[in-house]
Amino acid sequence: MLAEKLLLHILIILAPMFLYSVFLENRRLGKSRIMTGLLHGAAAFLCMCFPFVSYGFHWDLRYVPLVISFLYGGPVAGGIVYVIIIAMRIAIGGPVLLYGIAIVSACAFVPLLFSGRFYRYMPKQRVMISIMTAVWSAFTAFCTVTVYVFVVNADRINAKPMYDLVWIGIIQIMGMTVSALMYERIIERKAMRKEMERAEKMNTLGELAASIAHEVRNPLTVVKGFLQLMQQEQNYQYVPLILTEVERAEKIISDYLNFAKPQFRKIESFYLSNVISDVIMLLEPLAANKYIQLKSEIHVNPLLETDSDQLKQALINIIKNAIEATSQGGTVAIRTDAGKGEAQIIIADTGKGMTKEQLARIGTLFYTTKEKGTGLGTMVSLRIIEAMNGKLSYTSEPSVGTEAVICLPVKEEKRMRRAQ
Ligand code: ADP
Ligand code: MG
């Protein structure tokens, strides 16, 4: 009976991490402390619905979600779980209610002390702290019951259920170890993804630099020619032309430097056309080098609210692939369209296209058909777009071309204001 219940509890306490990995890891909601608190709170609640009762005490693994949410989710997440447990404990009631509340509070206190600076420790230390906190919770619970059984309730001594409590304590510590290790895995995966984004960006920067240097040389040559003419003819009619060429070179360089800047994630409102024209300005030299026409048709220009630098990186990766797949004389067209509550960005090329098998593999890690490819670009774009609650899909036909469609939610400013 006890073993079955404990197995069920182990499943319940590990469920938040599974749910997080599958549904929330790449989404903005996944970063919410409240969401972390609610997930672990639900786990604690479910644990308390199937308790193991001895001496009127309800035993379960509720302390694992409590401690883990304080440590890995911070004081807000831990506080939510604490409130849920206390509310549920009061609802259960019974003669040992006060002891129950005292144990929960004592168990919450130690991880609360660590919660502010937990992420300053190394991963191994974090796991150790989690285990030590679990030992502390088990010890507190055990001591409280011992006091109750041997001091308060001394006339009805029966030590047998105490052994069960030792088992529960051991399982609790094991559950905590597994939970902490799972959290560490999630943290490691996140760091790896960030590193991949960075690696792909560095790669793109290197490739763009060559084409941009080439492209900037053209206006400079024109400027030099005009200046020589001016020197010979002593007139100023070429000045506006010189200025336009210099401005163009300046814009290309400043866009490149902006893209090269480290990105600080910031959410802001912006019009889609601004991002698209920046991206086109950056990639035009690359297309021009291959004699490919880069066209844009902005039919609709919705207001978006997200990280525009991230969106730029996603678009650059996809459009760069389109340019690379297209041969001399081809076109890459970027269109925008509107769906219900969403904006669409369609990137269509007249390149070599993809077979069904290739299409199925696109966006998977390290998949590349290029000699110097990294196989990261599409995956990074996909990840960024999913984090923005958007979608990226591809349709393609070999030797005809490829179409990438990005759907992004638009900011609904007017409707929200009317609803207030
Ligand atoms: P990389 O560009 O380094 O190869 P990506 O993840 O950006 O890595 O792209 C993976 C693969 O997907 C490419 O190697 C290419 O075979 C294919 N691909 C992506 N976009 C297109 C496209 N527009 N047309 C044809 N093939 C494409
Ligand atoms: Mg690529």
Side-chain angles (χ1 to χ4, degrees), residues 156-167:
R156 289 192 281 132
I157 291 178
N158 169 13
K160 157 80 178 70
M162 299 298 283
Y163 296 121
D164 291 341
L165 295 191
V166 173
W167 275 116

Side-chain angles (χ1 to χ4, degrees), residues 86-141:
I86 293 287
M88 180 72 173
R89 188 64 194 88
I90 292 172
I92 292 169
V96 291
L97 173 63
L98 284 181
Y99 286 91
I101 291 178
I103 299 176
V104 175
S105 303
C107 289
F109 182 66
V110 174
L112 179 64
L113 287 182
F114 280 102
S115 66
R117 56 200 152 109
F118 189 61
Y119 283 99
R120 284 191 218 149
Y121 294 102
M122 302 297 287
K124 271 193 186 144
Q125 290 173 313
R126 289 200 292 258
V127 175
M128 273 321 286
I129 293 172
S130 310
I131 296 173
M132 294 318 290
T133 325
V135 172
W136 159 253
S137 319
F139 179 72
T140 322

Side-chain angles (χ1 to χ4, degrees), residues 10-263:
I10 293 267
L11 200 71
I12 293 173
I13 59 168
L14 296 183
M17 271 78 79
F18 283 124
L19 290 175
Y20 183 85
S21 303
V22 178
F23 297 111
L24 295 171
E25 198 169 332
N26 292 337
R27 303 191 174 270
R28 218 197 292 171
L29 195 60
K31 286 195 190 117
S32 154
R33 300 290 179 221
I34 296 175
M35 194 64 206
T36 313
L38 288 177
L39 270 178
H40 286 290
F45 173 83
L46 283 175
C47 278
M48 292 172 83
C49 289
F50 306 101
F52 167 72
V53 183
S54 81
Y55 298 112
F57 281 91
H58 286 227
W59 294 111
D60 47 64
L61 296 191
R62 77 186 84 153
Y63 304 115
V64 177
L66 178 71
V67 170
I68 219 85
S69 57
F70 264 118
L71 292 178
Y72 284 91
V76 174
I80 292 173
V81 182
Y82 178 75
V83 170
I84 290 176
I85 292 181
I86 293 287
M88 180 72 173
R89 188 64 194 88
I90 292 172
I92 292 169
V96 291
L97 173 63
L98 284 181
Y99 286 91
I101 291 178
I103 299 176
V104 175
S105 303
C107 289
F109 182 66
V110 174
L112 179 64
L113 287 182
F114 280 102
S115 66
R117 56 200 152 109
F118 189 61
Y119 283 99
R120 284 191 218 149
Y121 294 102
M122 302 297 287
K124 271 193 186 144
Q125 290 173 313
R126 289 200 292 258
V127 175
M128 273 321 286
I129 293 172
S130 310
I131 296 173
M132 294 318 290
T133 325
V135 172
W136 159 253
S137 319
F139 179 72
T140 322
F142 193 78
C143 289
T144 314
V145 178
T146 313
V147 169
Y148 179 78
V149 172
F150 292 98
V151 182
V152 182
N153 214 9
D155 47 332
R156 289 192 281 132
I157 291 178
N158 169 13
K160 157 80 178 70
M162 299 298 283
Y163 296 121
D164 291 341
L165 295 191
V166 173
W167 275 116
I168 294 174
I170 291 171
I171 297 287
Q172 191 173 310
I173 294 164
M174 281 164 56
M176 183 70 98
T177 312
V178 175
S179 303
L181 288 174
M182 281 175 81
Y183 255 111
E184 289 302 332
R185 260 300 156 91
I186 292 174
I187 294 169
E188 199 182 302
R189 231 173 19 225
K190 264 191 197 160
M192 218 171 83
R193 288 226 168 108
K194 250 197 197 149
E195 183 50 35
M196 261 172 216
E197 259 176 46
R198 208 189 61 82
E200 174 63 16
K201 194 171 153 179
M202 295 313 287
N203 189 42
T204 310
L205 277 173
E207 284 174 17
L208 286 184
S211 60
I212 283 173
H214 188 257
E215 188 72 354
V216 167
R217 208 175 52 191
N218 292 344
L220 285 184
T221 317
V222 175
V223 168
K224 191 172 149 199
F226 280 136
L227 284 175
Q228 280 166 346
L229 269 178
M230 269 169 70
Q231 201 181 27
Q232 285 163 12
E233 299 175 10
Q234 295 290 323
N235 81 39
Y236 292 98
Q237 62 167 332
Y238 303 116
V239 170
L241 287 170
I242 291 174
L243 285 177
T244 331
E245 289 298 307
V246 171
E247 270 165 25
R248 198 176 126 68
E250 200 185 336
K251 176 90 175 87
I252 293 174
I253 291 173
S254 69
D255 274 355
Y256 176 79
L257 291 178
N258 265 338
F259 180 61
K261 254 191 337 209
Q263 292 168 358

Side-chain angles (χ1 to χ4, degrees), residues 321-322 324-325 349 353-354 362 367-370 373-378 402:
N321 278 344
E324 283 163 354
D349 64 61
M354 282 178 275
I362 190 167
Y367 168 66
T368 179
T369 54
K370 299 167 196 168
T374 57
L376 291 175
T378 323
T402 304

